[in-house]
Amino acid sequence: MDRGGAVTAPARAALIALAAACALACGDEPAPGAPADSPEPPSASAPESPPRESAPRAWPASGAWSLAFAQGAVSVDAFEAPRRPLLEELAKRAGFALEAAPGAWPPLTLRIEAQPLELALPLLVGELEYRAEWASDAGAHRLTRLVVGGARGAQPSADAPSLRPGEVGDSLQRALAELADEEEPLDEADALRGLEAADPETRMRAVLALEPEGEGLTALIGAIERDPDPRVRAAATVGLEESDEFAAVQALVGALADANPEVVVEAIDSLEFAGDASVVASLEPLLGHSDPRVRKSAADAIRLLAE
């Protein structure tokens, strides 16, 4: 190379030879510090592994049960389990007083998952007679006392020992029609007195005349829980269908365990009319009821309330 910067022919030949030798020695390896080529991503069309299905939860052994209670919600797994100790344990955890009649209770087979206590309670008590007392505080409801008796509907009604199928509904429709035709319906005082009548037709008209509030609400709930005639109990469910009181909804949910399927159908209709979707969990067990009318009414109500 001369002072002017020109490259002579011999120097150019030497540079070319040096570059060729370096290329042969280095090959195609990347320069130090250069990032390696990243692997190609898998093809988008490659089949994915099917999701692994979880095994169904096994039922407990016969006679066993488990119970959880947290933030007012109840979870139970029970298979042919003794009902009394389960309710006693629930009373301890939920903080309510339990009064139970002596005698044998039927075993419990049930699975519920995180249901509010007010919806779980009728499922846990089942066919047993019961009375629940609730306290309200700032819009929240707390169970304070539960009285559980013997089997519901163990004895035939003394007032109506031989009702034909469909007679409960027919009697109720007649009573409603008569009430609509009356120019001067019963006032509350006369209706409350009518509840003491020996004639069930008179008691039906009385409960249909009551307003579901105050003393009338208490009387309607009492008729559902204690009247020996299914026609009166069915009429009382109609009397509660326009009430949004918590106690009224709970009385209707309790009526779903009535021994007479026509009373159960009327209770379902009243719950459907009330439009409270929270009762769906209490209606679902009725899809396996022995009476097809109850099964159909439950399915119709669930479909409507779930919309």
Side-chain angles (χ1 to χ4, degrees):
M1 183 179 297
D2 61 15
R3 294 179 183 274
V7 180
T8 64
R12 184 180 298 110
L15 287 173
I16 293 173
L18 179 61
C22 181
L24 289 173
C26 297
D28 293 328
E29 294 294 327
D37 292 337
S38 58
E40 292 186 4
S43 170
S45 61
E48 297 181 357
S49 300
R52 184 176 298 175
E53 295 183 1
S54 58
R57 189 172 63 186
W59 282 89
S62 180
W65 55 271
S66 64
L67 167 71
F69 180 79
Q71 299 180 334
V74 182
S75 297
V76 169
D77 268 348
F79 182 66
E80 291 295 313
R83 196 180 306 243
R84 188 185 301 267
L86 192 154
L87 285 174
E88 289 172 347
E89 181 63 23
L90 178 60
K92 291 179 185 177
R93 300 191 190 187
F96 62 85
L98 175 65
E99 298 179 21
W105 287 359
L108 177 67
T109 297
L110 179 66
R111 171 168 284 165
I112 54 177
E113 190 72 32
Q115 288 294 331
L117 179 57
E118 59 267 25
L119 298 182
L121 191 60
L123 304 178
L124 292 167
V125 175
E127 60 268 42
L128 299 172
E129 294 279 1
Y130 77 98
R131 184 173 73 257
E133 297 178 5
W134 300 82
S136 297
D137 183 17
H141 306 284
R142 182 173 61 86
L143 181 62
T144 58
R145 183 167 173 257
L146 177 65
V147 181
V148 184
R152 194 188 300 259
Q155 298 296 327
S157 167
D159 291 342
S162 58
L163 290 175
R164 60 172 176 77
E167 190 166 349
V168 170
D170 291 346
S171 298
L172 180 58
Q173 293 304 315
R174 285 197 303 271
L176 287 169
E178 291 171 2
L179 185 65
D181 290 340
E182 289 180 357
E183 294 183 1
E184 295 184 8
L186 292 175
D187 60 23
E188 183 177 72
D190 288 338
L192 291 172
R193 283 192 293 269
L195 292 176
E196 305 299 324
D199 176 31
E201 299 280 349
T202 300
R203 299 202 302 277
M204 284 182 67
R205 289 191 293 272
V207 296
L208 290 172
L210 287 170
E211 293 294 330
E213 56 187 28
E215 195 172 356
L217 175 61
T218 302
L220 287 167
I221 293 173
I224 286 178
E225 295 178 343
R226 294 184 292 277
D227 196 285
D229 195 290
R231 292 169 292 186
V232 181
R233 300 198 299 274
T237 68
V238 175
L240 291 179
E241 68 182 11
E242 294 188 4
S243 175
D244 57 0
E245 291 286 341
F246 179 78
V249 175
Q250 291 311 294
L252 291 172
V253 170
L256 298 178
D258 197 281
N260 188 290
E262 292 185 71
V263 176
V264 179
V265 169
E266 294 298 337
I268 293 171
D269 289 347
S270 294
L271 286 168
E272 182 180 321
F273 185 89
D276 187 346
S278 69
V279 303
V280 167
S282 297
L283 294 171
E284 287 173 343
L286 299 179
L287 297 175
H289 197 279
S290 60
D291 192 288
R293 295 168 296 180
V294 173
R295 296 197 298 270
K296 183 181 185 304
S297 293
D300 290 344
I302 290 170
R303 189 179 305 110
L304 179 66
L305 292 172
E307 289 180 351

mmCIF file with all atom_site columns, all heavy atoms in Angstrom, residues 179 182 185-188 190-192 203-212 220 235 239:
data_model
loop_
_atom_site.group_PDB
_atom_site.id
_atom_site.type_symbol
_atom_site.label_atom_id
_atom_site.label_alt_id
_atom_site.label_comp_id
_atom_site.label_asym_id
_atom_site.label_entity_id
_atom_site.label_seq_id
_atom_site.pdbx_PDB_ins_code
_atom_site.Cartn_x
_atom_site.Cartn_y
_atom_site.Cartn_z
_atom_site.occupancy
_atom_site.B_iso_or_equiv
_atom_site.pdbx_formal_charge
_atom_site.auth_seq_id
_atom_site.auth_comp_id
_atom_site.auth_asym_id
_atom_site.auth_atom_id
_atom_site.pdbx_PDB_model_num
ATOM 1   N N   . LEU A 1 179 ? -115.026 -17.377 45.674 1.00 0.00 ? 179 LEU A N   1
ATOM 2   C CA  . LEU A 1 179 ? -114.444 -16.171 46.267 1.00 0.00 ? 179 LEU A CA  1
ATOM 3   C C   . LEU A 1 179 ? -114.534 -15.002 45.294 1.00 0.00 ? 179 LEU A C   1
ATOM 4   O O   . LEU A 1 179 ? -114.821 -13.858 45.694 1.00 0.00 ? 179 LEU A O   1
ATOM 5   C CB  . LEU A 1 179 ? -112.986 -16.435 46.651 1.00 0.00 ? 179 LEU A CB  1
ATOM 6   C CG  . LEU A 1 179 ? -112.261 -15.322 47.401 1.00 0.00 ? 179 LEU A CG  1
ATOM 7   C CD1 . LEU A 1 179 ? -112.888 -15.111 48.772 1.00 0.00 ? 179 LEU A CD1 1
ATOM 8   C CD2 . LEU A 1 179 ? -110.786 -15.661 47.565 1.00 0.00 ? 179 LEU A CD2 1
ATOM 9   N N   . GLU A 1 182 ? -118.067 -13.459 45.288 1.00 0.00 ? 182 GLU A N   1
ATOM 10  C CA  . GLU A 1 182 ? -118.584 -12.843 46.507 1.00 0.00 ? 182 GLU A CA  1
ATOM 11  C C   . GLU A 1 182 ? -118.519 -11.313 46.417 1.00 0.00 ? 182 GLU A C   1
ATOM 12  O O   . GLU A 1 182 ? -117.502 -10.750 46.020 1.00 0.00 ? 182 GLU A O   1
ATOM 13  C CB  . GLU A 1 182 ? -117.784 -13.315 47.727 1.00 0.00 ? 182 GLU A CB  1
ATOM 14  C CG  . GLU A 1 182 ? -118.040 -14.768 48.096 1.00 0.00 ? 182 GLU A CG  1
ATOM 15  C CD  . GLU A 1 182 ? -117.234 -15.184 49.315 1.00 0.00 ? 182 GLU A CD  1
ATOM 16  O OE1 . GLU A 1 182 ? -116.450 -14.349 49.818 1.00 0.00 ? 182 GLU A OE1 1
ATOM 17  O OE2 . GLU A 1 182 ? -117.392 -16.329 49.764 1.00 0.00 ? 182 GLU A OE2 1
ATOM 18  N N   . PRO A 1 185 ? -116.154 -10.020 50.396 1.00 0.00 ? 185 PRO A N   1
ATOM 19  C CA  . PRO A 1 185 ? -115.286 -11.089 50.885 1.00 0.00 ? 185 PRO A CA  1
ATOM 20  C C   . PRO A 1 185 ? -115.071 -10.974 52.392 1.00 0.00 ? 185 PRO A C   1
ATOM 21  O O   . PRO A 1 185 ? -115.296 -9.916  52.996 1.00 0.00 ? 185 PRO A O   1
ATOM 22  C CB  . PRO A 1 185 ? -113.980 -10.854 50.115 1.00 0.00 ? 185 PRO A CB  1
ATOM 23  C CG  . PRO A 1 185 ? -114.026 -9.416  49.696 1.00 0.00 ? 185 PRO A CG  1
ATOM 24  C CD  . PRO A 1 185 ? -115.464 -9.094  49.503 1.00 0.00 ? 185 PRO A CD  1
ATOM 25  N N   . LEU A 1 186 ? -114.628 -12.065 52.976 1.00 0.00 ? 186 LEU A N   1
ATOM 26  C CA  . LEU A 1 186 ? -114.386 -12.096 54.417 1.00 0.00 ? 186 LEU A CA  1
ATOM 27  C C   . LEU A 1 186 ? -113.311 -11.083 54.798 1.00 0.00 ? 186 LEU A C   1
ATOM 28  O O   . LEU A 1 186 ? -112.307 -10.932 54.088 1.00 0.00 ? 186 LEU A O   1
ATOM 29  C CB  . LEU A 1 186 ? -113.915 -13.492 54.839 1.00 0.00 ? 186 LEU A CB  1
ATOM 30  C CG  . LEU A 1 186 ? -114.910 -14.649 54.741 1.00 0.00 ? 186 LEU A CG  1
ATOM 31  C CD1 . LEU A 1 186 ? -114.204 -15.961 55.089 1.00 0.00 ? 186 LEU A CD1 1
ATOM 32  C CD2 . LEU A 1 186 ? -116.091 -14.428 55.670 1.00 0.00 ? 186 LEU A CD2 1
ATOM 33  N N   . ASP A 1 187 ? -113.539 -10.396 55.925 1.00 0.00 ? 187 ASP A N   1
ATOM 34  C CA  . ASP A 1 187 ? -112.456 -9.571  56.437 1.00 0.00 ? 187 ASP A CA  1
ATOM 35  C C   . ASP A 1 187 ? -111.488 -10.467 57.218 1.00 0.00 ? 187 ASP A C   1
ATOM 36  O O   . ASP A 1 187 ? -111.756 -11.655 57.421 1.00 0.00 ? 187 ASP A O   1
ATOM 37  C CB  . ASP A 1 187 ? -112.982 -8.417  57.287 1.00 0.00 ? 187 ASP A CB  1
ATOM 38  C CG  . ASP A 1 187 ? -113.779 -8.886  58.505 1.00 0.00 ? 187 ASP A CG  1
ATOM 39  O OD1 . ASP A 1 187 ? -113.583 -10.047 58.952 1.00 0.00 ? 187 ASP A OD1 1
ATOM 40  O OD2 . ASP A 1 187 ? -114.591 -8.107  59.018 1.00 0.00 ? 187 ASP A OD2 1
ATOM 41  N N   . GLU A 1 188 ? -110.374 -9.905  57.642 1.00 0.00 ? 188 GLU A N   1
ATOM 42  C CA  . GLU A 1 188 ? -109.335 -10.727 58.269 1.00 0.00 ? 188 GLU A CA  1
ATOM 43  C C   . GLU A 1 188 ? -109.835 -11.403 59.537 1.00 0.00 ? 188 GLU A C   1
ATOM 44  O O   . GLU A 1 188 ? -109.543 -12.592 59.776 1.00 0.00 ? 188 GLU A O   1
ATOM 45  C CB  . GLU A 1 188 ? -108.097 -9.884  58.581 1.00 0.00 ? 188 GLU A CB  1
ATOM 46  C CG  . GLU A 1 188 ? -106.963 -10.714 59.168 1.00 0.00 ? 188 GLU A CG  1
ATOM 47  C CD  . GLU A 1 188 ? -105.707 -9.890  59.417 1.00 0.00 ? 188 GLU A CD  1
ATOM 48  O OE1 . GLU A 1 188 ? -105.716 -9.071  60.362 1.00 0.00 ? 188 GLU A OE1 1
ATOM 49  O OE2 . GLU A 1 188 ? -104.728 -10.077 58.661 1.00 0.00 ? 188 GLU A OE2 1
ATOM 50  N N   . ASP A 1 190 ? -112.896 -12.365 60.366 1.00 0.00 ? 190 ASP A N   1
ATOM 51  C CA  . ASP A 1 190 ? -113.778 -13.493 60.045 1.00 0.00 ? 190 ASP A CA  1
ATOM 52  C C   . ASP A 1 190 ? -112.980 -14.640 59.428 1.00 0.00 ? 190 ASP A C   1
ATOM 53  O O   . ASP A 1 190 ? -113.274 -15.816 59.692 1.00 0.00 ? 190 ASP A O   1
ATOM 54  C CB  . ASP A 1 190 ? -114.871 -13.039 59.079 1.00 0.00 ? 190 ASP A CB  1
ATOM 55  C CG  . ASP A 1 190 ? -115.902 -12.136 59.740 1.00 0.00 ? 190 ASP A CG  1
ATOM 56  O OD1 . ASP A 1 190 ? -116.026 -12.199 60.985 1.00 0.00 ? 190 ASP A OD1 1
ATOM 57  O OD2 . ASP A 1 190 ? -116.569 -11.366 59.019 1.00 0.00 ? 190 ASP A OD2 1
ATOM 58  N N   . ALA A 1 191 ? -111.986 -14.309 58.610 1.00 0.00 ? 191 ALA A N   1
ATOM 59  C CA  . ALA A 1 191 ? -111.170 -15.365 58.000 1.00 0.00 ? 191 ALA A CA  1
ATOM 60  C C   . ALA A 1 191 ? -110.375 -16.122 59.055 1.00 0.00 ? 191 ALA A C   1
ATOM 61  O O   . ALA A 1 191 ? -110.288 -17.359 59.010 1.00 0.00 ? 191 ALA A O   1
ATOM 62  C CB  . ALA A 1 191 ? -110.233 -14.755 56.962 1.00 0.00 ? 191 ALA A CB  1
ATOM 63  N N   . LEU A 1 192 ? -109.829 -15.413 60.009 1.00 0.00 ? 192 LEU A N   1
ATOM 64  C CA  . LEU A 1 192 ? -109.069 -16.086 61.076 1.00 0.00 ? 192 LEU A CA  1
ATOM 65  C C   . LEU A 1 192 ? -109.980 -16.990 61.901 1.00 0.00 ? 192 LEU A C   1
ATOM 66  O O   . LEU A 1 192 ? -109.576 -18.095 62.308 1.00 0.00 ? 192 LEU A O   1
ATOM 67  C CB  . LEU A 1 192 ? -108.385 -15.054 61.965 1.00 0.00 ? 192 LEU A CB  1
ATOM 68  C CG  . LEU A 1 192 ? -107.230 -14.273 61.307 1.00 0.00 ? 192 LEU A CG  1
ATOM 69  C CD1 . LEU A 1 192 ? -106.763 -13.146 62.204 1.00 0.00 ? 192 LEU A CD1 1
ATOM 70  C CD2 . LEU A 1 192 ? -106.076 -15.211 60.973 1.00 0.00 ? 192 LEU A CD2 1
ATOM 71  N N   . ARG A 1 203 ? -112.597 -23.714 55.828 1.00 0.00 ? 203 ARG A N   1
ATOM 72  C CA  . ARG A 1 203 ? -111.197 -23.340 56.079 1.00 0.00 ? 203 ARG A CA  1
ATOM 73  C C   . ARG A 1 203 ? -110.498 -22.947 54.772 1.00 0.00 ? 203 ARG A C   1
ATOM 74  O O   . ARG A 1 203 ? -109.649 -22.059 54.758 1.00 0.00 ? 203 ARG A O   1
ATOM 75  C CB  . ARG A 1 203 ? -110.443 -24.490 56.767 1.00 0.00 ? 203 ARG A CB  1
ATOM 76  C CG  . ARG A 1 203 ? -111.029 -24.878 58.121 1.00 0.00 ? 203 ARG A CG  1
ATOM 77  C CD  . ARG A 1 203 ? -110.013 -25.591 58.998 1.00 0.00 ? 203 ARG A CD  1
ATOM 78  N NE  . ARG A 1 203 ? -109.451 -26.791 58.413 1.00 0.00 ? 203 ARG A NE  1
ATOM 79  C CZ  . ARG A 1 203 ? -110.030 -28.002 58.432 1.00 0.00 ? 203 ARG A CZ  1
ATOM 80  N NH1 . ARG A 1 203 ? -111.220 -28.160 59.009 1.00 0.00 ? 203 ARG A NH1 1
ATOM 81  N NH2 . ARG A 1 203 ? -109.435 -29.046 57.893 1.00 0.00 ? 203 ARG A NH2 1
ATOM 82  N N   . MET A 1 204 ? -110.846 -23.613 53.683 1.00 0.00 ? 204 MET A N   1
ATOM 83  C CA  . MET A 1 204 ? -110.272 -23.236 52.384 1.00 0.00 ? 204 MET A CA  1
ATOM 84  C C   . MET A 1 204 ? -110.619 -21.802 52.032 1.00 0.00 ? 204 MET A C   1
ATOM 85  O O   . MET A 1 204 ? -109.755 -21.010 51.641 1.00 0.00 ? 204 MET A O   1
ATOM 86  C CB  . MET A 1 204 ? -110.792 -24.165 51.286 1.00 0.00 ? 204 MET A CB  1
ATOM 87  C CG  . MET A 1 204 ? -110.187 -25.548 51.255 1.00 0.00 ? 204 MET A CG  1
ATOM 88  S SD  . MET A 1 204 ? -110.857 -26.510 49.884 1.00 0.00 ? 204 MET A SD  1
ATOM 89  C CE  . MET A 1 204 ? -110.188 -25.625 48.481 1.00 0.00 ? 204 MET A CE  1
ATOM 90  N N   . ARG A 1 205 ? -111.899 -21.450 52.149 1.00 0.00 ? 205 ARG A N   1
ATOM 91  C CA  . ARG A 1 205 ? -112.316 -20.086 51.826 1.00 0.00 ? 205 ARG A CA  1
ATOM 92  C C   . ARG A 1 205 ? -111.642 -19.080 52.761 1.00 0.00 ? 205 ARG A C   1
ATOM 93  O O   . ARG A 1 205 ? -111.305 -17.960 52.349 1.00 0.00 ? 205 ARG A O   1
ATOM 94  C CB  . ARG A 1 205 ? -113.844 -19.966 51.904 1.00 0.00 ? 205 ARG A CB  1
ATOM 95  C CG  . ARG A 1 205 ? -114.570 -20.689 50.774 1.00 0.00 ? 205 ARG A CG  1
ATOM 96  C CD  . ARG A 1 205 ? -116.042 -20.322 50.740 1.00 0.00 ? 205 ARG A CD  1
ATOM 97  N NE  . ARG A 1 205 ? -116.759 -20.824 51.908 1.00 0.00 ? 205 ARG A NE  1
ATOM 98  C CZ  . ARG A 1 205 ? -117.312 -22.045 51.981 1.00 0.00 ? 205 ARG A CZ  1
ATOM 99  N NH1 . ARG A 1 205 ? -117.214 -22.867 50.947 1.00 0.00 ? 205 ARG A NH1 1
ATOM 100 N NH2 . ARG A 1 205 ? -117.945 -22.423 53.057 1.00 0.00 ? 205 ARG A NH2 1
ATOM 101 N N   . ALA A 1 206 ? -111.430 -19.499 54.004 1.00 0.00 ? 206 ALA A N   1
ATOM 102 C CA  . ALA A 1 206 ? -110.794 -18.601 54.972 1.00 0.00 ? 206 ALA A CA  1
ATOM 103 C C   . ALA A 1 206 ? -109.346 -18.296 54.573 1.00 0.00 ? 206 ALA A C   1
ATOM 104 O O   . ALA A 1 206 ? -108.928 -17.131 54.577 1.00 0.00 ? 206 ALA A O   1
ATOM 105 C CB  . ALA A 1 206 ? -110.846 -19.216 56.370 1.00 0.00 ? 206 ALA A CB  1
ATOM 106 N N   . VAL A 1 207 ? -108.584 -19.322 54.222 1.00 0.00 ? 207 VAL A N   1
ATOM 107 C CA  . VAL A 1 207 ? -107.176 -19.062 53.884 1.00 0.00 ? 207 VAL A CA  1
ATOM 108 C C   . VAL A 1 207 ? -107.060 -18.274 52.584 1.00 0.00 ? 207 VAL A C   1
ATOM 109 O O   . VAL A 1 207 ? -106.144 -17.461 52.417 1.00 0.00 ? 207 VAL A O   1
ATOM 110 C CB  . VAL A 1 207 ? -106.352 -20.368 53.797 1.00 0.00 ? 207 VAL A CB  1
ATOM 111 C CG1 . VAL A 1 207 ? -106.299 -21.068 55.141 1.00 0.00 ? 207 VAL A CG1 1
ATOM 112 C CG2 . VAL A 1 207 ? -106.883 -21.295 52.727 1.00 0.00 ? 207 VAL A CG2 1
ATOM 113 N N   . LEU A 1 208 ? -107.997 -18.485 51.670 1.00 0.00 ? 208 LEU A N   1
ATOM 114 C CA  . LEU A 1 208 ? -107.951 -17.739 50.413 1.00 0.00 ? 208 LEU A CA  1
ATOM 115 C C   . LEU A 1 208 ? -108.312 -16.274 50.604 1.00 0.00 ? 208 LEU A C   1
ATOM 116 O O   . LEU A 1 208 ? -107.953 -15.431 49.773 1.00 0.00 ? 208 LEU A O   1
ATOM 117 C CB  . LEU A 1 208 ? -108.893 -18.386 49.390 1.00 0.00 ? 208 LEU A CB  1
ATOM 118 C CG  . LEU A 1 208 ? -108.457 -19.752 48.853 1.00 0.00 ? 208 LEU A CG  1
ATOM 119 C CD1 . LEU A 1 208 ? -109.560 -20.371 48.002 1.00 0.00 ? 208 LEU A CD1 1
ATOM 120 C CD2 . LEU A 1 208 ? -107.168 -19.631 48.051 1.00 0.00 ? 208 LEU A CD2 1
ATOM 121 N N   . ALA A 1 209 ? -109.011 -15.954 51.694 1.00 0.00 ? 209 ALA A N   1
ATOM 122 C CA  . ALA A 1 209 ? -109.390 -14.573 51.963 1.00 0.00 ? 209 ALA A CA  1
ATOM 123 C C   . ALA A 1 209 ? -108.314 -13.806 52.719 1.00 0.00 ? 209 ALA A C   1
ATOM 124 O O   . ALA A 1 209 ? -108.394 -12.572 52.821 1.00 0.00 ? 209 ALA A O   1
ATOM 125 C CB  . ALA A 1 209 ? -110.693 -14.548 52.760 1.00 0.00 ? 209 ALA A CB  1
ATOM 126 N N   . LEU A 1 210 ? -107.316 -14.497 53.244 1.00 0.00 ? 210 LEU A N   1
ATOM 127 C CA  . LEU A 1 210 ? -106.284 -13.846 54.048 1.00 0.00 ? 210 LEU A CA  1
ATOM 128 C C   . LEU A 1 210 ? -105.230 -13.165 53.173 1.00 0.00 ? 210 LEU A C   1
ATOM 129 O O   . LEU A 1 210 ? -104.864 -13.684 52.120 1.00 0.00 ? 210 LEU A O   1
ATOM 130 C CB  . LEU A 1 210 ? -105.597 -14.872 54.953 1.00 0.00 ? 210 LEU A CB  1
ATOM 131 C CG  . LEU A 1 210 ? -106.411 -15.379 56.146 1.00 0.00 ? 210 LEU A CG  1
ATOM 132 C CD1 . LEU A 1 210 ? -105.688 -16.556 56.795 1.00 0.00 ? 210 LEU A CD1 1
ATOM 133 C CD2 . LEU A 1 210 ? -106.644 -14.264 57.166 1.00 0.00 ? 210 LEU A CD2 1
ATOM 134 N N   . GLU A 1 211 ? -104.757 -12.023 53.638 1.00 0.00 ? 211 GLU A N   1
ATOM 135 C CA  . GLU A 1 211 ? -103.631 -11.352 52.994 1.00 0.00 ? 211 GLU A CA  1
ATOM 136 C C   . GLU A 1 211 ? -102.333 -11.895 53.587 1.00 0.00 ? 211 GLU A C   1
ATOM 137 O O   . GLU A 1 211 ? -102.242 -12.092 54.811 1.00 0.00 ? 211 GLU A O   1
ATOM 138 C CB  . GLU A 1 211 ? -103.697 -9.839  53.209 1.00 0.00 ? 211 GLU A CB  1
ATOM 139 C CG  . GLU A 1 211 ? -104.862 -9.162  52.507 1.00 0.00 ? 211 GLU A CG  1
ATOM 140 C CD  . GLU A 1 211 ? -104.728 -9.227  50.998 1.00 0.00 ? 211 GLU A CD  1
ATOM 141 O OE1 . GLU A 1 211 ? -103.575 -9.242  50.502 1.00 0.00 ? 211 GLU A OE1 1
ATOM 142 O OE2 . GLU A 1 211 ? -105.763 -9.264  50.312 1.00 0.00 ? 211 GLU A OE2 1
ATOM 143 N N   . PRO A 1 212 ? -101.311 -12.161 52.763 1.00 0.00 ? 212 PRO A N   1
ATOM 144 C CA  . PRO A 1 212 ? -100.070 -12.766 53.275 1.00 0.00 ? 212 PRO A CA  1
ATOM 145 C C   . PRO A 1 212 ? -99.153  -11.754 53.962 1.00 0.00 ? 212 PRO A C   1
ATOM 146 O O   . PRO A 1 212 ? -98.022  -11.505 53.532 1.00 0.00 ? 212 PRO A O   1
ATOM 147 C CB  . PRO A 1 212 ? -99.426  -13.345 52.016 1.00 0.00 ? 212 PRO A CB  1
ATOM 148 C CG  . PRO A 1 212 ? -99.877  -12.440 50.921 1.00 0.00 ? 212 PRO A CG  1
ATOM 149 C CD  . PRO A 1 212 ? -101.271 -12.000 51.292 1.00 0.00 ? 212 PRO A CD  1
ATOM 150 N N   . LEU A 1 220 ? -101.453 -18.402 57.376 1.00 0.00 ? 220 LEU A N   1
ATOM 151 C CA  . LEU A 1 220 ? -101.272 -19.167 56.146 1.00 0.00 ? 220 LEU A CA  1
ATOM 152 C C   . LEU A 1 220 ? -100.132 -20.181 56.291 1.00 0.00 ? 220 LEU A C   1
ATOM 153 O O   . LEU A 1 220 ? -100.250 -21.339 55.854 1.00 0.00 ? 220 LEU A O   1
ATOM 154 C CB  . LEU A 1 220 ? -100.985 -18.213 54.986 1.00 0.00 ? 220 LEU A CB  1
ATOM 155 C CG  . LEU A 1 220 ? -102.182 -17.398 54.474 1.00 0.00 ? 220 LEU A CG  1
ATOM 156 C CD1 . LEU A 1 220 ? -101.707 -16.274 53.557 1.00 0.00 ? 220 LEU A CD1 1
ATOM 157 C CD2 . LEU A 1 220 ? -103.175 -18.299 53.751 1.00 0.00 ? 220 LEU A CD2 1
ATOM 158 N N   . ALA A 1 235 ? -104.804 -24.671 49.313 1.00 0.00 ? 235 ALA A N   1
ATOM 159 C CA  . ALA A 1 235 ? -105.324 -23.306 49.254 1.00 0.00 ? 235 ALA A CA  1
ATOM 160 C C   . ALA A 1 235 ? -104.358 -22.328 49.921 1.00 0.00 ? 235 ALA A C   1
ATOM 161 O O   . ALA A 1 235 ? -104.186 -21.192 49.451 1.00 0.00 ? 235 ALA A O   1
ATOM 162 C CB  . ALA A 1 235 ? -106.697 -23.244 49.920 1.00 0.00 ? 235 ALA A CB  1
ATOM 163 N N   . GLY A 1 239 ? -102.470 -18.737 48.710 1.00 0.00 ? 239 GLY A N   1
ATOM 164 C CA  . GLY A 1 239 ? -102.487 -17.496 49.466 1.00 0.00 ? 239 GLY A CA  1
ATOM 165 C C   . GLY A 1 239 ? -101.117 -16.869 49.636 1.00 0.00 ? 239 GLY A C   1
ATOM 166 O O   . GLY A 1 239 ? -101.010 -15.662 49.871 1.00 0.00 ? 239 GLY A O   1
#
